[in-house]
Amino acid sequence: MHTVAEFRITFSRILDPDGTLVAPLPAFAQPAEAVIPLYRAILLTRRFDAKAVALQRTGRLGTYPSSLGQEAVGVGIAAAMGADDVLVPSYRETAAMLGRGVNLLELLLLWGGDERGNDFAGPRQDFPVSIPVGTHALHAAGAAYAFKLRGEKRAAVAVFGDGATSKGDVAEALNVAGAWRLPVVFVTIDNQWAISVPRARQTAAETLAQKAIAAGIPGLQVDGNDVIAVRAVVERALGAAREGEGPALIEALSYRLSDHTTADDASRYRPAEEVSRRWREEPAARLRHYLAEAGVWSKDDEERTIAEIDAEVEAAVAAYEATPARDPATIFDHLYAELPGPLRAQKATLAGGESDG
Amino acid sequence: MTAFKLPDLGEGLVEAEIVAWHVGVGDRVVADQPLVSVETDKAVVEVPAPRAGRIAKLHGAPGDILKIGDPLVEFGEAPAADTGTVVGRIETAAEASAAKAPVAAGAPGIKAMPAVRALARKLGVDLALVSPSGPDGLVTKSDVERAAKALAEAGPPEPLRGPRRAMAARMAQAGRDVVPATVVDDADIGPWPAGEDVTLRLIGAIVGACGAEPALNAWYDGHEMVRRVNRRIDLGIAVDTAEGLFVPVLRDVGGRDAADLRAGLERMKDDIRARTVPPEELRGATITLSNFGMLAGRYATPVVVPPQVAIVSAGRIAERVVAVDDKPAVRPMLPISVTFDHRAVTGGEAARFLAALLADLARPG
Amino acid sequence: MAETTLVGAVTLALARAMSEDERVLVLGEDVGVDGGVFRATEGLLARFGPERVLDTPLAETAIAGLAVGMAGQGLRPVAEIQFMGFIYPTIDQMVCHAARLRYRTRGRLSCPLVLRAPFGGGIHAPEHHSESTEAMFAHVPGLRVVIPSSPGRAYGLLLAAIRDPDPVVFLEPKRIYRAVKEAIADDGNALPLDTCFTLREGTDVTLVSWGAMITETLAAAEALAGEGVAAEVIDVATLKPLDEATILESVGRTGRCVIVHEAAYSGGFGGEIAARLAERGLTSLLAPVERVTGYDTIMPLYRLEDRYMPSVARILAAVRRTLAFA
């Protein structure tokens, strides 16, 4: 008997939880100031999330899934993507979507129960959030095939959680992406929790990254709370994909510091001490320390930036609440390219007009 | 509620300015979770929560200056209610709703296809009057067409009005409520003098019979099951006119003499002919007389109209062969029928009433 | 014009669509090298190459999910599911994504895919190869469900489905894949979607059906003509959105309706048609609407499948009942 295959999974980190450099900085992170936009993006996500949660609590927004604690993954992904790439997100993707140019008003409309929030003015080809878990990994593979067929140097990025890696759809997506050598990068944000099911009970696999091995594609781990490392790893994978070298699966390790959604109460199933421990590894603090130590970030910068962000968020909330309601008859719009006859009669009944239905 | 005070931030600082809150009222926090960013001389510092708990109150807004030791947040002890969901909102009933008994199905209606119903409507046919020939009592198209043809050959529909309408309603009501029974016999009026007034003799006989058996001069309320035996006899007299049946009431026939009664009868006939019978005169009869003998007929079972419990009818006087002293003889016989409401009157009472009636009629005068 | 079978018409339509529009591609299990297990995609790989005729891994969810992603990027994928019995893993992708993509992005993205599958029983196949669950898809807002019943209609309707900017579930009645040959002009002319086809005119009763059952229904109409009964036969073709106007107009004239479908009785699409007749055609009806359908049982294995599926005799019995009603 002899070994026919072995695998190795590597873990990358550049900035440790204290904000200390533990690996060489990639070019995009030099000089230190170059990282400030990434920090600002993390703050924007965090402040918006907090506002969204507060709005939900006062009945002004529907159920909302906060990204508290895992902002760096989405920020890093969006920063690594090119304008022509396509993002295929899960539902807990505020950070990446903001980074891609989805605006705050659109996010508020979506979670506020209005489909107009999915009609992105910015990234016109990005997919909307996917509520069913993991099904969208296949969409990214399909989009990637379109790039390949048309000979375009573009890549698709599918982002999903640790729970999603148990889904057949994800396994099928990894498999077909590998079999067809598709220009798609899969990022699984391992935030340790799938609602109330902890990572240890989700799978026997030691890492999620190794699920790539089964599909015959590269799989690697990165510290998801280290935005610099996330961006570096995703950027490398995207470059390879665009050059025709095929897909990759990246496991970004993080922690979901919030409840699953505003309706969930995580204290029902996880101990407060564990969450406290994880707060000490959160992505914003380590970056702030690093920037402060590097002498490029002052307390005035912090205060000013928070104030600017809060004003941006407030303006978006005002615009959201001032958005005129849709005519109920628009329920029938965009069902098909053109509304078929009997449905026109139905629409008329909703509008209170004459109908033969 | 326990208050958490702004802790010593070190370096001899005595106060700090709130830059931004990281938590809101109602949030559940854990130990070490950043609560607020405050600005000191040197830096913006995050103040972590000292313990897990729920934020009940925040002290201060961005821009406010707090001294070390000032209250910063307050923790509430009461846990937030379980939403019982992970998305959306599930309404909760305040109290249990009472179980409702299921409603029994109603009586089955007339069975006919919609196209057949539409045809019936168009032809003016009442489906209730159509005898169905289809399976399971289904009214078919040909049934409706047949009924329409029959209706066309009948006269035009004549909605009932006035006395006919009133009679239809009254008799329908009586038919629903009254349980009628009838006892009949003949009175031998041979002893009567010539030119005797039949109506007056009948009225007198009824007075006598009511005296002998007052139970037939009563009112009965079937709903309350209450009977009222009337002391006075207000006699309804059935009168046939071209417009229909009228039953004016001759009041207190037991307390008036023959001349008074005769005058009353004449006045009544005049009023009817002239159509001037006041409505009160048609109400309140305690017992009724129907003398149809002027026309034709022998015995009858006319309708007892509630609240009355009896009606006396007199048929055509005719010469009949009867047994007298064991030998056949020809006698003038007046047929008498007494129909009574068996809910309120027994057969015995009716028979006794009839006996008294006949005895009175058999007297010479 | 060549004499073509129904499955041959599918191939013709696919080839025509792929030659006209480079965005059209075909994907599914065994569709490339093998030309499809029913040969529906025969010759396409040789003609259009492996980039447009894709042999997928064995993964139905992936076939549908890939098609969603491709369609979202503006391609026109025609995805094959080998048998309707294996279509269920695609329901998540079809219901949650394909049907909704245009709607939830307010038209920013759309999903012009076709999901085609052979369906129905009567080919002596093992289990799970005889499904008729078209009603499941017909229930879903945002989808179209199209079912051809002849080679000519297969050609025209599939072309229409591929050209349609929205998702179409195209179910091919495999029992008549090769039973009938028809002369078809490969002229690229599509037939209209969203409309019924009146295959035979009549005055005494309206027979409504789709798919393979059209064969039995037309045979029943022919037999009835011999008895002096003129039956009108309507091929629904597009179950969703339903062209109820054609059916209502016909029953408005005949007053009697018999619906024939192979699928099981309860929740079958015949119920939807019967309901529309009750809602908007009630006063025309001279007899109750009859449905001649499969029973509410699992489709039996092939030894008894003939007893399950509606026969000409069962259709005739229903028509006679409806005529004798009153």
Side-chain angles (χ1 to χ4, degrees), chain B residues 171-192:
Chain B
M171 298 307 172
Q173 177 78 49
R176 277 193 289 271
D177 294 342
V178 173
V179 181
T182 302
V183 58
V184 308
D185 209 332
D186 299 277
D188 182 346
I189 60 166
W192 286 12

Side-chain angles (χ1 to χ4, degrees), chain C residues 229-298:
Chain C
V229 175
E232 184 144 298
V233 176
I234 295 180
D235 178 3
V236 178
T238 299
L239 265 60
K240 182 188 192 76
L242 178 66
D243 169 19
E244 64 178 46
T246 298
I247 300 172
L248 286 168
E249 191 278 329
S250 173
V251 178
R253 279 182 286 106
T254 64
R256 296 172 209 269
C257 184
V258 175
I259 303 168
V260 182
H261 65 64
E262 191 179 314
Y265 173 76
S266 295
F269 199 70
E272 178 65 33
I273 297 174
R276 306 271 181 121
L277 285 168
E279 280 168 350
R280 288 187 267 287
L282 193 62
T283 51
S284 309
L285 285 170
L286 296 170
V289 174
E290 287 252 1
R291 288 183 282 168
V292 182
T293 69
Y295 301 106
D296 280 336
T297 70
I298 308 295

Side-chain angles (χ1 to χ4, degrees), chain B residues 124-190:
Chain B
V125 172
D126 177 358
L127 284 175
L129 303 177
V130 180
S131 46
S133 71
D136 236 14
L138 183 76
V139 176
T140 68
K141 186 162 170 237
S142 52
D143 290 339
V144 169
E145 283 164 345
R146 194 184 59 241
K149 188 155 173 291
L151 279 178
E153 280 156 16
E158 175 211 324
L160 291 183
R161 287 192 220 297
R164 293 209 89 96
R165 190 181 182 87
M167 177 181 76
R170 212 166 51 237
M171 298 307 172
Q173 177 78 49
R176 277 193 289 271
D177 294 342
V178 173
V179 181
T182 302
V183 58
V184 308
D185 209 332
D186 299 277
D188 182 346
I189 60 166

